[in-house]
Amino acid sequence: MKIAMIGHKRIPSREGGVEVVVQSLAMRMAKAGHSVTAYNRRGKHVSSGETVKIKEYEGVRIKSVPTFETSKLNAIVYAVIASFLALFGKYDIIHFHAEGPCSMLWLPHFFGIRTIASIHGLDWQQSKWQGFAVKVLKFGEKMAAKYADEIIVLSEETRQYFLDTYGRETRVFRNGVDIQDYREPNIIKDKYGLLKDDYILFLGRIVPVKGLPYLIRAFSELKTDKKLVIAGGVSHSDEYAREIRDMATDERIIFTGFVEGEELWELYSNCRLYVMPSDHEGMPLSLLEAMSCGAECLVSDIPAMTNVLCDYGYTFKKGNTEDLREKMARILASEKRDTSNQIEYISKNYSWDTITEMTLELYKD
């Protein structure tokens, strides 16, 4: 088949969950012999701050789409241009990712091109989006519900939402993860002085929805010799990132900025505890990765997290700083548990190979 992917910032990249999903699917589809084109946004992004120009990655064709780099119109301008370009690609399937880009899904539909929409979360519920942006996201959601040949969602809660709101059936395909070998703390020891079980880890984008203020306040009140490592790039606003840094006056707190590659897996492999205090999530890839590396995990008690965590970790009341502090103290005071069953559970239930096969079967149908 000839397949197009629209909706991500760019691949290769780990700048967000959408980018990880598109990259993981596109690479495997290309390896299986399909022709896959990914429409990247041109310009600077989270990781390096540099403009990256490539035409091919792991068998996936890359087309760069011009758009604004900093404007709130970045995503919608990209979606408009990418969708018009894709009309001329003679694709069998155009796969739109995320609600915003789905605002243009009607265009290929009216030209008789088959479309798939992946809803990675109800983005308009996130506090970082206001006013016109919320209207665009809801419009994209409606376009997906009305015109997409198939809709993929990441949770039963989102499936029920589409059924209740639009009377639209969807398919639940969860995200996946590649199981990694244990990494010795080499890079993180040299860069930050971190050793095995020496720190609590938060790894994710520095955005309001991730609940970082709860974690910083709770950790600052915690009596421990552990450090708190906050690893992640800024993809919301520099002003919000400054607010978070200004909160973090405790000298035990370390900001690494955006991480990837070996450094990323070393951080997962050697943390004493992984904490994800989010108010809202679609499908938390970072939690999957932490669990796959054998980290003990403490997360807010929202369904998107508890459904992934199952019985293999700990939860605290969303937004409750005191409960978060008490749970961290209790876990750190106890003996570290064996997480081999947790790794096996993730390996069996969250395989990118299986999810790619399911997606391709959906395309063929």
Side-chain angles (χ1 to χ4, degrees):
M1 288 178 285
K2 195 172 184 181
I3 303 158
M5 298 280 186
I6 294 176
H8 57 290
K9 292 184 182 72
R10 68 177 185 187
I11 62 169
S13 168
R14 288 188 53 88
E15 291 161 32
V18 175
E19 286 70 46
V20 174
V21 172
V22 171
Q23 181 172 321
S24 300
L25 292 176
M27 286 169 49
R28 285 167 172 80
M29 290 176 180
K31 188 175 181 180
H34 302 282
S35 172
V36 186
T37 301
Y39 285 83
N40 282 3
R41 299 185 208 179
R42 190 179 300 166
K44 298 177 183 178
H45 297 290
V46 173
S47 57
S48 63
E50 299 175 355
T51 299
V52 178
K53 296 180 180 179
I54 59 173
K55 294 184 177 180
E56 186 270 341
Y57 177 74
E58 296 289 336
V60 180
R61 294 181 180 87
I62 306 295
K63 290 187 180 293
S64 295
V65 178
T67 185
F68 299 116
E69 290 190 9
T70 57
S71 168
K72 292 181 179 180
L73 295 174
N74 174 299
I76 187 62
V77 171
Y78 152 80
V80 170
I81 297 174
S83 298
F84 272 100
L85 291 175
L87 291 180
F88 303 97
K90 297 182 180 179
Y91 297 110
D92 299 305
I93 294 284
I94 299 180
H95 192 153
F96 286 82
H97 292 264
E99 289 186 329
C102 282
S103 60
M104 290 301 298
L105 189 145
W106 59 270
L107 182 65
H109 169 81
F110 282 143
F111 280 85
I113 303 170
R114 298 297 184 184
T115 56
I116 303 286
S118 278
I119 305 298
H120 295 252
L122 302 179
D123 295 334
W124 54 268
Q125 293 180 345
Q126 297 187 31
S127 59
K128 71 175 182 176
W129 300 119
Q130 302 291 332
F132 177 71
V134 171
K135 292 181 181 179
V136 171
L137 292 170
K138 286 191 173 182
F139 178 73
E141 179 181 289
K142 291 176 182 177
M143 291 300 97
K146 187 172 183 178
Y147 295 119
D149 290 289
E150 292 284 358
I151 300 175
I152 296 171
V153 297
L154 304 182
S155 69
E156 286 295 333
E157 290 74 26
T158 307
R159 185 197 69 78
Q160 192 63 48
Y161 169 82
F162 269 84
L163 191 59
D164 293 343
T165 307
Y166 303 104
R168 179 66 197 259
E169 290 288 351
T170 58
R171 309 290 189 102
V172 179
F173 289 4
R174 303 193 187 279
N175 286 334
V177 66
D178 295 316
I179 303 297
Q180 303 287 326
D181 294 330
Y182 170 74
R183 308 300 210 279
E184 294 287 344
N186 296 318
I187 298 172
I188 61 175
K189 180 181 177 182
D190 292 340
K191 290 182 73 171
Y192 315 111
L194 297 173
L195 303 174
K196 184 169 178 57
D197 296 334
D198 194 27
Y199 57 95
I200 297 167
L201 175 66
F202 165 88
L203 199 151
R205 292 172 296 139
I206 310 299
V207 293
V209 73
K210 296 296 183 182
L212 271 171
Y214 315 135
L215 178 56
I216 291 171
R217 293 190 193 106
F219 178 78
S220 297
E221 298 171 1
L222 194 63
K223 294 180 180 180
T224 180
D225 58 356
K226 306 294 185 191
K227 301 177 181 68
L228 171 61
V229 175
I230 297 176
V234 179
S235 64
H236 176 58
S237 72
D238 292 334
E239 182 180 352
Y240 181 75
R242 283 193 295 271
E243 290 176 9
I244 292 297
R245 286 182 177 271
D246 289 344
M247 285 185 62
T249 56
D250 193 309
E251 62 183 11
R252 297 171 297 173
I253 299 176
I254 298 170
F255 287 88
T256 69
F258 182 82
V259 293
E260 56 188 340
E262 289 299 306
E263 182 177 342
L264 171 85
W265 299 114
E266 284 188 20
L267 285 170
Y268 279 134
S269 294
N270 295 286
C271 66
R272 173 61 182 85
L273 177 66
Y274 175 84
V275 180
M276 197 169 195
S278 302
D279 289 323
H280 174 82
E281 287 286 343
M283 176 66 180
L285 278 166
S286 183
L287 175 58
L288 280 178
E289 291 173 343
M291 292 179 71
S292 73
C293 289
E296 287 193 74
C297 298
L298 171 63
V299 302
S300 54
D301 61 352
I302 59 177
M305 303 262 236
T306 56
N307 289 342
V308 173
L309 194 67
C310 199
D311 298 322
Y312 295 97
Y314 313 93
T315 64
F316 73 96
K317 296 175 184 176
K318 183 190 79 170
N320 190 319
T321 299
E322 183 177 349
D323 190 39
L324 174 55
R325 178 183 56 78
E326 290 177 356
K327 294 291 175 58
M328 286 195 294
R330 190 182 309 167
I331 295 166
L332 293 177
S334 62
E335 185 177 347
K336 192 172 182 180
R337 63 180 179 81
D338 180 8
T339 57
S340 56
N341 288 339
Q342 169 183 302
I343 297 172
E344 184 179 357
Y345 156 74
I346 294 295
S347 177
K348 286 183 177 179
N349 292 280
Y350 296 93
S351 163
W352 274 127
D353 290 338
T354 300
I355 294 161
T356 302
E357 290 174 7
M358 291 167 61
T359 305
L360 287 170
E361 284 301 315
L362 193 62
Y363 289 177
K364 291 174 184 176
D365 289 345

